[in-house]
Amino acid sequence: MYVPRNSLLNRDVAEAARHGRSRRPRNKYGVAFASAMLVLLLIAALVLQKSESKDQAAAPARYAHDLAQLWSWSDSVLAGGAKTAEWTLRFDALLSEGMSLAQLSDSVFSDVDGVIKTERIVTNGGNSVSGHYFALLGESTDAARLSLHQTGQSDNGMTVILLLESGVEDSTEQGLQAALKQLGSLLAKMSDEWTLTMKTHGYSDKQEGAKTLERIARGRILEQYEDGGTRSVTMLSDALLSSKALGNNRHANLQVAEHRSTETARNELTIGVPLISGDFSSVRTAEERAD
């Protein structure tokens, strides 16, 4: 069959010869799918970053709520109320790059004009600084004690612990809330990551203070054990906003340890939110504890 030289068939044959008969059309759907997935991943990363920033910004309000709740519960279960207890606020923070313990110390022990208001004691080779915290808890000689401790150093920055400790009759809810606000604001300027653990310790005339706390907090018991006359109960309460992971997709936010004193015949209660984080004072050096 004769085919004209300039026919469409001849041009198609020539085009196929130039590019090869095995050429396949481009998979436009695959390219579009890959592009869409990339966009979704970028959006997810931005949403996650925004969520983390929002969560960090909301931390002070969350902690203030939980501190008020812990004060209220302590007022109900401790003999003499919450003011008769010893209180501890522990801040764990990762200082931003370039920030130092000395800078943090100057900030927390200064007034609004930058004037150092208290004598500071430096120990542990310069890794610990302590002094009375008069700023917001009163001007008495029994004012709260604030100590700062450098606990580690990495490429991401310096890890520190701030311990605010007040004795019996030295604390008020308003004073603790003010201290939380001030220290939290300072840490927000010097750290991208910080968390708070709060603890109260006192005595109860009730026979089963832990069960009373469980009832008024509407806590769901996750773990409990008894050892050496001390009963520890770990719970999750919807009345609290912060929590701590326990593993196996479980979270807790309230823990109480109850010990019956044979000397006073009273129940000794230690309550922590989100958990009783061991011995808070263990981060202090032996030299400091001897002072």
Side-chain angles (χ1 to χ4, degrees), residues 86-99:
E86 298 173 341
W87 285 83
T88 303
L89 301 183
R90 169 174 170 162
F91 300 81
D92 288 78
L94 174 66
L95 297 186
S96 303
E97 185 178 358
M99 295 295 178

Side-chain angles (χ1 to χ4, degrees), residues 79 201-205 207 259-269:
H201 172 265
Y203 294 89
S204 174
D205 292 331
Q207 291 296 321
H259 179 77
R260 182 71 173 178
S261 173
T262 56
E263 297 180 356
T264 62
R266 303 173 74 190
N267 284 339
E268 183 178 358
L269 289 181

Side-chain angles (χ1 to χ4, degrees), residues 87-240:
W87 285 83
T88 303
L89 301 183
R90 169 174 170 162
F91 300 81
D92 288 78
L94 174 66
L95 297 186
S96 303
E97 185 178 358
M99 295 295 178
S100 66
L101 187 69
Q103 290 174 300
L104 179 61
S105 174
D106 288 343
S107 297
V108 299
F109 287 113
S110 299
D111 60 17
V112 292
D113 297 320
V115 178
I116 304 297
K117 296 189 62 177
T118 182
E119 180 180 355
R120 293 173 292 179
I121 301 174
V122 180
T123 56
N124 194 23
N127 293 326
S128 296
V129 182
S130 62
H132 285 115
Y133 188 70
F134 294 107
L136 295 167
L137 296 184
E139 298 289 343
S140 70
T141 55
D142 295 326
R145 182 180 188 276
L146 178 64
S147 58
L148 287 59
H149 309 271
Q150 177 182 341
T151 58
Q153 182 74 50
S154 68
D155 294 338
N156 295 325
M158 177 187 298
T159 54
V160 297
I161 292 176
L162 281 70
L163 285 180
L164 181 65
E165 303 168 287
S166 65
V168 175
E169 301 289 350
D170 290 335
S171 298
T172 64
E173 182 184 357
Q174 294 76 15
L176 289 170
Q177 289 284 6
L180 167 58
K181 182 178 180 180
Q182 185 190 57
L183 294 175
S185 297
L186 289 172
L187 285 175
K189 297 176 182 178
M190 303 182 67
S191 170
D192 295 329
E193 301 176 26
W194 66 274
T195 58
L196 174 67
T197 306
M198 54 196 80
K199 182 185 77 169
T200 181
H201 172 265
Y203 294 89
S204 174
D205 292 331
K206 302 180 184 299
Q207 291 296 321
E208 296 180 324
K211 287 190 175 181
T212 301
L213 179 62
E214 175 193 342
R215 177 177 55 79
I216 62 176
R218 296 182 180 180
R220 300 184 293 279
I221 296 180
L222 302 176
E223 296 178 353
Q224 59 180 323
Y225 70 90
E226 293 189 22
D227 181 29
T230 298
R231 179 172 178 261
S232 174
V233 182
T234 303
M235 296 173 275
L236 180 65
S237 171
D238 292 335
L240 297 170

